[in-house]
C-alpha cells in the first residue's frame, strides 16, 4: 500500500508540473500582433509563452487578407516593416504587400523559430486569477477538450486576441458597438446611412414584393432607422477574405455546401435584376489578384461577402456561440460562391466567370482548403487610460506618447440591413458603412494600449485597444497590430526590468528604444531621409508641398510643375552612422500624370552616378500609395558627405521628390 501511495503522489506531482508553467511574459492570441510581440520579448531575453486557441499563427494576415490595408507605408515601422520586406524577398522584390496565405503563415512560423518562442496551440482562456490589481495566473482549457486545464503564471500579460478575452476576464473596462456622436464629440460614429457599399433605391424587402405581411427576405432586419449619430451595441459585419485559384492544376471545385439555402441570396437576385449592365465579378466582389493565380476576395457594394447583422452576439458570446456564428458565416460564404456559379437566376456571363475558379489545393490543407480565420473586424474595445477618437485620426488632437502610427481611412463596414421609406416606397438599405479619409499618418497613444491603473497593472492590449468605434476603424489594420505588438512587448520588458507597472513605464525611453533598435536585434537601423526633414533636404527651384494627397511617403511630398528643366532639384543628405555598403531607394507615389523622365544622381562625396527614372514604368502593386525604386548599391562613408539628388529632366508633367532610403547591406 505504501508503494502505491508513493506512485500516486509521484504521478500527482508530475501532472501538477505539466499543468503549470511560469514565464516572464504571457501573450494570448497568435495573431500577427501576437507573433511579433512574442518575438520582440524573446529578443529582449525574456521567457515567453504564446498561446493560441487555434492551430495557426498570423490571424487574418495568414487567413486570407493578402491585399494588405496600409494607408501609408510610412506608418509601418520596426519588425512589422521587416515582415513585409521578408515577404518581398520570397517574391524577389524589396518589399511586398500582397501575398498567398501559406507564404504569410510560413513567415510567422519562421519568426517563432528564429526567436525560439514557446507556442501553445489549441488552448483557450478558462479563467483569470487577479490579486492586488495584477493578474497572477490564467487557467487555460484545451480547445477540443474543455476538461483539460493548464495554469500559466507570468509577470506581464499581453492580450493580442481579436476578441479581447483576457482583457475582459481580467475585469478591465471595455465597450462593444458604436458610441453616440456626443460621447467623444465625433461626427461619424453611431448610426450612419451613407451611399458606400449600398443597395440602389427601390429593392423590395419583402418575400412577396409589395406585401409586408409576407415577411422580410433573409438578411433584412425589422429594426427601425435611428437618428444619424445614435449609438448602439451593434457590430460591423464580419466576412471571410476568400482565397481562390484560377489554375486548373491547383483547384478544388466549389461545390454545393451542406445546409445550402438559396433563399439567403434573394436580395442578390433582386440586385442583379436592377443592374443588368453589371456583368463582372468585380461588380459584386472586390476581386483582388494575388501571386500564382490566386485571390483575396472582399466585400463590395450592396450585397456581397459581408454577412451583415449576423454577428452581434460574437464579442461577448460563449465559445460555443462564437463557433456557431463562424459556421454560419462559412456556410453563407461558400453558399454565395456556389450560388453565383450555379443558380439560373444569375446571368450566364457571371456564372461562367465564377466557374473558372476553385478552392486552392495548396492553401489551408488541414481545413478543407478554407481559411480557419473569420475576419473579426471589431469585437470588444478597451476603455483604457486614453481613448483614441476621430480627433486623433484627423490630426485635431495629437498625442505625445505615440508608440506606433496609423494612417488608414476611418472605415466601418455596414452594421445592419433595414427597411426605410423613400418617396412613399419601402425599400431595403444597408446602414453603418463609413469611409472617411484624407489625413496623414498619426501617432497612437501608449495610454490607449493599457488599462486604467486602478483596473490592472500588468496587462497590455494592442489589438482590442482603447478607441472609439470610428477611430478603431482607422487603426485596426494588420501591419499596425504588428507595430503595436512590438511596442507593448518592449513596454512589458521595461516594466519587468524596472519592477514597475505598465502605467509607470518611461515612455520617452520606450520611444527612443523603438527608434534605435527597430528590429529588436541590435542591427543598424536603415536611414530614411524624408522631404519633411528640412535639415537633411535642400530644395532648388519652386517646388510646392503636397500634403492633401495620400500618395506620398509620410505626411507630404514635393512637386515641381515649372518649365525650367535642369534648374530644379531636391538633394537628400543622409547622416551615415556606420560606413559600409548601402542599397539606396527612392520613393515615388502613384500619380495620374507625371513627367516622362527625371534624373537621379547618387554621390558618395567623391564619385557620382546618374540614373534616368521613367515614372510611367514604375509598377505600384497592391493597396498602397507608391513604390520604392532601387538606385543601386554604394559604399558610403561615415558622416554627411553622401547625397541623392532628384532633378527635373523633362517638364511634360509634374516631378515628385519624396523620400530616399539607405539600407545597410549585410
Amino acid at each position: 500500500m505504501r508503494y502505491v501511495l508513493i506512485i500516486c503522489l509521484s504521478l500527482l506531482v508530475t501532472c501538477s508540473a505539466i499543468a503549470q508553467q511560469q514565464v516572464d511574459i504571457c501573450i494570448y492570441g497568435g495573431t500577427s500582433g501576437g507573433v511579433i510581440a512574442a518575438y520582440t520579448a524573446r529578443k529582449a531575453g525574456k521567457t515567453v509563452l504564446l498561446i493560441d486557441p487555434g492551430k495557426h499563427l498570423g490571424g487574418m494576415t495568414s487567413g486570407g487578407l493578402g491585399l494588405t490595408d496600409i494607408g501609408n507605408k510610412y506608418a509601418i515601422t520596426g519588425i512589422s516593416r521587416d515582415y513585409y520586406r521578408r515577404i518581398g524577398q520570397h517574391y524577389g522584390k524589396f518589399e511586398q504587400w500582397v501575398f498567398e496565405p501559406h507564404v504569410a503563415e510560413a513567415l510567422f512560423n519562421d519568426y517563432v523559430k528564429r526567436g525560439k518562442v514557446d507556442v501553445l496551440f489549441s488552448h483557450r482562456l478558462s479563467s483569470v486569477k487577479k490579486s492586488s490589481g495584477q493578474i497572477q495566473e490564467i487557467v487555460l482549457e484545451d480547445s477540443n477538450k474543455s476538461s483539460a486545464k493548464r495554469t500559466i503564471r507570468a509577470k506581464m500579460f499581453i492580450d493580442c486576441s481579436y476578441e479581447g478575452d483576457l482583457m475582459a476576464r481580467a475585469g478591465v473596462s471595455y465597450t462593444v458597438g458604436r458610441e453616440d456622436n456626443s460621447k467623444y464629440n465625433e461626427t461619424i460614429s453611431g448610426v450612419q446611412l451613407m451611399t458606400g457599399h449600398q443597395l440602389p433605391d427601390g429593392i423590395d424587402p419583402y418575400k412577396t414584393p409589395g406585401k409586408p405581411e409576407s415577411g422580410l427576405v433573409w438578411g433584412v432586419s425589422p429594426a427601425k432607422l435611428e437618428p444619424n449619430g445614435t449609438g448602439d451595441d451593434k457590430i460591423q459585419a464580419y466576412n471571410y477574405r476568400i482565397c481562390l485559384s484560377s489554375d486548373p492544376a491547383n483547384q478544388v471545385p466549389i461545390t454545393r455546401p451542406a445546409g445550402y439555402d438559396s433563399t439567403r441570396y434573394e436580395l442578390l437576385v433582386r440586385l442583379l435584376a436592377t443592374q443588368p449592365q453589371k456583368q463582372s465579378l468585380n461588380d459584386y466582389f472586390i476581386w483582388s489578384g494575388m501571386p500564382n493565380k490566386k485571390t483575396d476576395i472582399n466585400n463590395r457594394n450592396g450585397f456581397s461577402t459581408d454577412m451583415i447583422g449576423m454577428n452581434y452576439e460574437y464579442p461577448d458570446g460563449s465559445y460555443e456561440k462564437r463557433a456557431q456564428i463562424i459556421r454560419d458565416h462559412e456556410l453563407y460564404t461558400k453558399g454565395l460562391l456556389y450560388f453565383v456559379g450555379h443558380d439560373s437566376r444569375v446571368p450566364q456571363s457571371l456564372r461562367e466567370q465564377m466557374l473558372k475558379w476553385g478552392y486552392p489545393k495548396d492553401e489551408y490543407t488541414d481545413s478543407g482548403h478554407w481559411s480557419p480565420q473569420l475576419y473579426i473586424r471589431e469585437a470588444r474595445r478597451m476603455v483604457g487610460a486614453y481613448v483614441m477618437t476621430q480627433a486623433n485620426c484627423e490630426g485635431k488632437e495629437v498625442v505625445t506618447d505615440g508608440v506606433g502610427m496609423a494612417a488608414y481611412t476611418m472605415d466601418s463596414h455596414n452594421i445592419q440591413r433595414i427597411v426605410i421609406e423613400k418617396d412613399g416606397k419601402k425599400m431595403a438599405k444597408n446602414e453603418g458603412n463609413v469611409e472617411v479619409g484624407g489625413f496623414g499618418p498619426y501617432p497612437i497613444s501608449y495610454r490607449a494600449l493599457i488599462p486604467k491603473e486602478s483596473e490592472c497593472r500588468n496587462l497590455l492590449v494592442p489589438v482590442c485597444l482603447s478607441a472609439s468605434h470610428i477611430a478603431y476603424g482607422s487603426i485596426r489594420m494588420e501591419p499596425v497590430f504588428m507595430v503595436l505588438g512590438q511596442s507593448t512587448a518592449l513596454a512589458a520588458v521595461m516594466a519587468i526590468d524596472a519592477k514597475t507597472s505598465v502605467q509607470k513605464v518611461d515612455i520617452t525611453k520606450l520611444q527612443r528604444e523603438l527608434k534605435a533598435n527597430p528590429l529588436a536585434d541590435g542591427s543598424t537601423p536603415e536611414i530614411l531621409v524624408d522631404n519633411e526633414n528640412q535639415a537633411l533636404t535642400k530644395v532648388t527651384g519652386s517646388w510646392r508641398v503636397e500634403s492633401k494627397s495620400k500618395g506620398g511617403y509620410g505626411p507630404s511630398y514635393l512637386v515641381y510643375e515649372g518649365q525650367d528643366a535642369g534648374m530644379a532639384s531636391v538633394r537628400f543628405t543622409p547622416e551615415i552612422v556606420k560606413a559600409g555598403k548601402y542599397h539606396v531607394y527612392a520613393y515615388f507615389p502613384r500619380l495620374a500624370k507625371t513627367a516622362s523622365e527625371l534624373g537621379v544622381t547618387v554621390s558618395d562625396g567623391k564619385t557620382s552616378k546618374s540614373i534616368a527614372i521613367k515614372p510611367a514604368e514604375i509598377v505600384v502593386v497592391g493597396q498602397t500609395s507608391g513604390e520604392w525604386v532601387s538606385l543601386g548599391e554604394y559604399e558610403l562613408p561615415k558622416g554627411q558627405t553622401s547625397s541623392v539628388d532628384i532633378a527635373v529632366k523633362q517638364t511634360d508633367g509634374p516631378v515628385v521628390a519624396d523620400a530616399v532610403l539607405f539600407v545597410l547591406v549585410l
Side-chain angles (χ1 to χ4, degrees):
M1 185 67 182
R2 179 183 173 194
Y3 294 108
V4 172
L5 284 172
I6 291 172
I7 292 170
C8 289
L9 285 170
S10 297
L11 286 171
L12 183 62
V13 170
T14 302
C15 290
S16 177
I18 293 172
Q20 294 189 28
Q21 189 171 351
Q22 173 83 44
V23 292
D24 292 322
I25 301 174
C26 175
I27 298 166
Y28 187 73
T31 59
S32 58
V35 173
I36 300 307
Y39 175 84
T40 303
R42 282 293 294 128
K43 281 297 188 180
K46 301 304 179 189
T47 56
V48 174
L49 179 64
L50 175 62
I51 303 159
D52 191 75
K55 301 176 182 178
H56 300 274
L57 296 177
M60 278 308 303
T61 299
S62 60
L65 207 169
L67 186 74
T68 307
D69 297 313
I70 311 166
N72 192 311
K73 291 179 183 178
Y74 181 83
I76 313 308
T77 54
I79 303 171
S80 180
R81 182 185 291 164
D82 177 68
Y83 179 88
Y84 296 99
R85 297 271 171 86
R86 290 174 184 270
I87 288 282
Q89 290 172 20
H90 176 86
Y91 291 110
K93 293 187 65 179
F94 174 50
E95 64 183 21
Q96 184 150 314
W97 305 80
V98 298
F99 43 82
E100 301 157 273
H102 77 271
V103 173
E105 184 177 359
L107 183 50
F108 284 120
N109 290 335
D110 181 62
Y111 274 97
V112 164
K113 182 179 179 181
R114 286 187 290 114
K116 298 179 181 178
V117 176
D118 188 4
V119 182
L120 180 62
F121 287 109
S122 300
H123 278 75
R124 62 195 186 192
L125 198 61
S126 177
S127 63
V128 174
K129 181 181 178 182
K130 205 168 107 179
S131 176
S132 302
Q134 295 200 108
I135 301 171
Q136 301 299 320
E137 63 184 33
I138 63 174
V139 177
L140 305 173
E141 63 184 33
D142 190 300
S143 299
N144 305 305
K145 186 181 178 184
S146 59
S147 61
K149 307 292 186 183
R150 185 173 184 139
T151 300
I152 310 298
R153 298 180 64 85
K155 298 172 185 175
M156 290 285 155
F157 292 83
I158 306 177
D159 187 345
C160 289
S161 68
Y162 291 127
E163 295 83 5
D165 285 345
L166 177 53
M167 168 191 72
R169 294 285 182 95
V172 171
S173 298
Y174 67 88
T175 188
V176 173
R178 46 189 175 170
E179 294 86 357
D180 193 280
N181 271 337
S182 62
K183 175 82 172 178
Y184 296 118
N185 194 29
E186 297 177 312
T187 61
I188 50 176
S189 272
V191 170
Q192 300 289 329
L193 187 66
M194 294 191 178
T195 57
H197 298 288
Q198 186 58 275
L199 291 163
D201 287 353
I203 293 184
D204 195 290
Y206 303 113
K207 291 179 180 177
T208 302
K211 294 188 178 298
E213 64 273 16
S214 66
L216 296 166
V217 297
W218 184 91
V220 179
S221 164
K224 71 171 186 175
L225 177 64
E226 298 293 339
N228 189 62
T230 302
D232 57 31
D233 58 2
K234 297 181 174 69
I235 299 296
Q236 64 174 305
Y238 299 165
N239 74 340
Y240 279 95
R241 297 296 286 257
I242 310 164
C243 183
L244 299 180
S245 172
S246 63
D247 181 359
N250 191 34
Q251 281 184 353
V252 175
I254 297 172
T255 56
R256 178 184 176 119
Y260 174 74
D261 181 359
S262 65
T263 65
R264 290 188 164 193
Y265 313 106
E266 176 61 31
L267 269 184
L268 178 57
V269 173
R270 298 180 187 187
L271 176 60
L272 289 163
T274 66
Q275 47 190 40
Q277 76 282 7
K278 294 190 174 181
Q279 297 279 316
S280 167
L281 288 175
N282 259 306
D283 291 322
Y284 300 93
F285 306 88
I286 298 178
W287 203 279
S288 303
M290 293 295 109
N292 296 315
K293 301 181 179 180
K294 293 175 187 171
T295 64
D296 168 5
I297 301 169
N298 196 10
N299 181 83
R300 170 165 277 161
N301 295 334
F303 191 100
S304 188
T305 61
D306 276 0
M307 199 176 178
I308 300 171
M310 304 297 175
N311 59 343
Y312 300 159
E313 295 180 88
Y314 186 89
D316 279 322
S318 65
Y319 293 128
E320 293 72 26
K321 171 56 71 174
R322 289 179 183 171
Q324 176 194 325
I325 292 170
I326 291 169
R327 286 193 299 270
D328 288 346
H329 279 72
E330 180 176 342
L331 173 57
Y332 166 79
T333 314
K334 287 181 174 178
L336 176 62
L337 298 175
Y338 178 79
F339 179 86
V340 174
H342 295 87
D343 197 285
S344 60
R345 294 170 291 176
V346 176
Q348 184 177 350
S349 63
L350 277 172
R351 280 182 276 147
E352 289 174 352
Q353 291 172 58
M354 181 62 80
L355 291 174
K356 293 178 181 178
W357 297 87
Y359 301 123
K361 281 183 181 178
D362 62 345
E363 300 288 355
Y364 315 126
T365 55
D366 63 349
S367 57
H369 310 286
W370 186 258
S371 174
Q373 180 64 63
L374 180 65
Y375 194 175
I376 309 302
R377 288 192 171 93
E378 185 176 1
R380 299 180 176 109
R381 300 189 312 280
M382 178 171 63
V383 180
Y386 181 88
V387 180
M388 299 289 293
T389 68
Q390 182 178 340
N392 296 109
C393 300
E394 295 176 335
K396 296 175 182 177
E397 184 174 326
V398 181
V399 300
T400 58
D401 63 339
V403 290
M405 288 183 288
Y408 200 73
T409 294
M410 288 181 288
D411 174 79
S412 171
H413 280 237
N414 277 303
I415 289 172
Q416 57 183 339
R417 185 176 280 140
I418 54 177
V419 180
I420 70 163
E421 185 171 339
K422 185 176 181 181
D423 300 328
K425 185 175 182 179
K426 297 288 181 69
M427 61 189 72
K429 283 288 180 180
N430 298 332
E431 184 277 313
N433 185 83
V434 180
E435 296 166 274
V436 177
F439 45 82
Y442 60 90
I444 301 166
S445 171
Y446 173 73
R447 288 165 293 155
L449 311 178
I450 57 174
K452 300 180 183 76
E453 189 166 17
S454 60
E455 294 184 347
C456 193
R457 299 199 303 274
N458 66 335
L459 173 68
L460 300 107
V461 187
V463 176
C464 292
L465 70 150
S466 181
S468 70
H469 160 70
I470 203 60
Y472 192 78
S474 170
I475 298 168
R476 62 168 183 83
M477 303 303 150
E478 290 288 297
V480 176
F481 287 153
M482 290 192 233
V483 170
L484 300 181
Q486 179 175 358
S487 300
T488 51
L490 184 55
V493 169
M494 291 172 61
I496 291 171
D497 290 346
K499 294 182 174 57
T500 189
S501 68
V502 296
Q503 288 82 12
K504 295 292 197 297
V505 165
D506 185 334
I507 305 301
T508 302
K509 183 179 178 182
L510 174 60
Q511 293 170 325
R512 190 166 57 242
E513 178 65 17
L514 288 168
K515 184 177 180 180
N517 189 17
L519 301 186
D521 60 2
S523 60
T524 301
E526 62 189 37
I527 302 166
L528 172 71
V529 183
D530 188 72
N531 68 284
E532 291 274 318
N533 190 335
Q534 296 180 12
L536 300 180
T537 54
K538 180 182 178 182
V539 179
T540 303
S542 300
W543 297 72
R544 67 175 176 84
V545 177
E546 175 58 70
S547 58
K548 293 182 180 179
S549 171
K550 63 179 182 179
Y553 192 81
S556 69
Y557 55 90
L558 299 173
V559 182
Y560 183 83
E561 296 171 304
Q563 295 298 313
D564 295 327
M567 300 296 290
S569 65
V570 178
R571 172 167 291 185
F572 298 83
T573 304
E575 175 69 51
I576 302 296
V577 177
K578 180 180 180 180
K581 180 181 285 187
Y582 285 81
H583 201 139
V584 183
Y585 300 85
Y587 194 82
F588 293 98
R590 186 201 308 258
L591 298 181
K593 184 184 178 183
T594 62
S596 59
E597 189 174 336
L598 54 88
V600 176
T601 302
V602 181
S603 172
D604 62 6
K606 294 181 179 179
T607 59
S608 299
K609 179 181 179 181
S610 296
I611 305 159
I613 300 291
K614 296 182 177 181
E617 296 178 357
I618 299 170
V619 179
V620 179
V621 178
Q623 191 171 311
T624 180
S625 59
E627 288 287 337
W628 289 111
V629 174
S630 173
L631 304 179
E633 294 184 353
Y634 303 86
E635 288 285 347
L636 301 180
K638 185 178 179 180
Q640 279 189 286
T641 60
S642 304
S643 63
V644 173
D645 286 72
I646 296 179
V648 176
K649 198 169 184 179
Q650 297 291 338
T651 57
D652 52 353
V655 176
V656 170
D658 192 350
V660 178
L661 188 66
F662 302 80
V663 181
L664 185 64
V665 179
L666 300 178

